[in-house]
Amino acid sequence: MHTPLANEINRESTPLNTRPITPYTLKAPVEADGFSWPSFGARQRAEETPEQEQQRIGRIADAVRTILTEVGEDVTREGILDTPERYAKAMLYFTKGYQTNIRADVLNNAVFEEDHEEMVIVRDIEIYSLCEHHLVPFYGKVHIGYIPNKKVIGLSKLARLAEMYARRLQVQERLSKQIAMALQAILKPMGVAVVIEATHMCMVSRGVEKTGSSTVTSSMLGCFRAHRTREEFLTLLNRR
């Protein structure tokens, strides 16, 4: 049995030693029923009746009333009276990506056989999402590129794909990866590239309060990992 020396540092376990790796990267991007990395309760939201949805809104509204009371507000005053229900409906909209079916609602049979093997780029796709750490917005633009391997996707579907993943509680790094991995699984192209440029209100309006800051993340798969292809993609992005 090892006896610690007097000058040895007692190191506590790190999160990497105590928690498993985020499992979404180990799962197929599109499940058999068409959902993409469904969260706990995603299918329940997708299948609920209007009456069940109204009950969900009521439960969220009750929780918001508690929050408003605890921050010192009067939940009976005119300006606040209907805020809990408004917030509940807004939150369900902000997170509608959980209940989106990628096959039926996003792709909708818009994958086509096409003899094209040159780079396709759709840039400046606006996204709005919620940071899962503080539940405040981050927003910006997504740029998506891919090199087809006999299959192309309707251009608007790239925007819908980004929208689906953005309308969840997110971190920008994961959002970049999810878009890239899903497109890779759907088309099986020679490569996929995703770049996101976003402003985070959790950094702008609280904490360090750096109003001019922005965050850039990327995910490069397949041939985009090669230096020449990556450079071509980034050069085309910067050409205005």
Side-chain angles (χ1 to χ4, degrees):
M1 178 176 171
H2 174 69
T3 302
L5 301 177
N7 61 349
E8 277 189 327
I9 299 175
N10 182 23
R11 300 186 185 276
E12 297 182 358
S13 295
T14 66
L16 287 178
N17 292 331
T18 58
R19 293 187 305 185
I21 190 170
T22 303
Y24 86 91
T25 56
L26 306 179
K27 297 180 180 179
V30 184
E31 298 200 356
D33 59 1
F35 286 94
S36 181
W37 291 300
S39 68
F40 176 78
R43 292 181 176 87
Q44 184 180 3
R45 276 188 63 177
E47 298 169 359
E48 67 187 3
T49 65
E51 291 76 16
Q52 290 171 326
E53 181 182 12
Q54 195 58 45
Q55 292 170 2
R56 184 183 297 274
I57 290 172
R59 292 191 296 270
I60 297 173
D62 288 341
V64 174
R65 288 189 186 91
T66 300
I67 294 172
L68 292 173
T69 300
E70 292 303 322
V71 300
E73 262 296 349
D74 176 8
V75 296
T76 64
R77 73 177 178 87
E78 184 181 17
I80 299 292
L81 188 62
D82 294 326
T83 295
E85 284 76 15
R86 293 192 193 101
Y87 179 87
K89 293 175 182 177
M91 182 57 69
L92 290 181
Y93 180 83
F94 295 151
T95 60
K96 64 180 182 177
Y98 285 125
Q99 65 193 76
T100 301
N101 187 298
I102 192 171
R103 293 192 190 279
D105 302 324
V106 177
L107 300 180
N108 196 21
N109 298 318
V111 175
F112 310 105
E113 296 286 340
E114 190 67 40
D115 187 18
H116 183 77
E117 297 180 348
E118 300 299 328
M119 194 178 299
V120 178
I121 299 175
V122 177
R123 66 186 184 190
D124 297 330
I125 301 169
E126 291 186 346
I127 53 128
Y128 299 87
S129 191
L130 287 178
C131 162
E132 67 180 36
H133 299 146
H134 300 97
L135 298 186
V136 294
F138 69 91
Y139 58 91
K141 293 182 177 180
V142 180
H143 316 291
I144 303 175
Y146 71 98
I147 297 181
N149 184 14
K150 307 302 182 185
K151 287 184 179 181
V152 298
I153 189 171
L155 297 179
S156 67
K157 305 307 179 184
L158 296 177
R160 291 186 183 278
L161 193 66
E163 170 80 358
M164 182 188 73
Y165 291 119
R167 292 299 185 183
R168 302 180 180 190
L169 302 184
Q170 278 287 13
V171 294
Q172 186 175 327
E173 298 87 340
R174 183 198 306 143
L175 179 57
S176 307
K177 194 82 170 178
Q178 285 183 326
I179 296 170
M181 291 179 65
L183 190 57
Q184 182 75 23
I186 293 164
L187 291 182
K188 295 179 173 52
M190 289 184 275
V192 176
V194 175
V195 172
I196 300 179
E197 306 169 83
T199 297
H200 292 248
M201 295 307 295
C202 57
M203 190 173 179
V204 170
S205 64
R206 61 163 298 283
V208 294
E209 298 184 12
K210 299 303 180 184
T211 56
S213 66
S214 63
T215 302
V216 180
T217 55
S218 69
S219 181
M220 307 283 178
L221 303 178
C223 64
F224 280 92
R225 291 183 179 273
H227 176 75
R228 181 177 297 178
T229 309
R230 182 190 295 115
E231 287 301 309
E232 179 185 353
F233 172 69
L234 296 176
T235 299
L236 289 172
L237 282 190
N238 292 324
R239 183 178 297 168
R240 290 290 187 264

